[in-house]
Amino acid sequence: QVQLVESGGGSVQAGGSLRLSCLVSSYTHSTYHMGWFRQAPGKEREGVAVISPYGNTMSANSVNGRFTISRDKAKNTLYLQMNSLKPEDAAMYYCAAGGRWSLVPSQYDYWGQGTQVTVSS
């Protein structure tokens, strides 16, 4: 069973940084594509960044150059480093695992509970 537990969310001023973490069950990194997704109130869930079992990464245009996805297989942890945060980055952030190389949320099968990110201007 795949289990995903996010942490690291919080409140930050615009221009600040946060690092999100997602603790995953063993072998998840080697088996599934992993990704970070977000959903703001009244908006659809959207892909932020994904990483393949081989280490390939892909990011949404809106976060390119500001957010970086990475992982530590030894710690079974996925990360999202978020720099130069903007008010429009505020959302619930979710970690997910799935079998398709995609930024589309529906392609992912397993989801964490989410961690809230608030960005004040």
Side-chain angles (χ1 to χ4, degrees), residues 6 20-22 35-37 47-49 69 78-80 93-95:
E6 302 96 334
L20 306 183
S21 299
C22 177
W36 287 98
F37 299 80
V48 176
I69 189 171
L78 180 73
Y79 300 103
L80 183 68
Y93 281 71
Y94 298 91
C95 171

Side-chain angles (χ1 to χ4, degrees), residues 30-70:
S30 301
T31 306
Y32 297 100
H33 299 291
M34 301 288 304
W36 287 98
F37 299 80
R38 66 186 182 187
Q39 187 167 20
K43 294 188 176 182
E44 292 187 356
R45 192 170 297 190
E46 62 176 358
V48 176
V50 298
I51 187 167
S52 76
Y54 312 105
N56 305 97
T57 62
M58 176 168 56
S59 301
N61 290 337
S62 59
V63 305
N64 270 338
R66 299 188 299 123
F67 292 10
T68 303
I69 189 171
S70 64

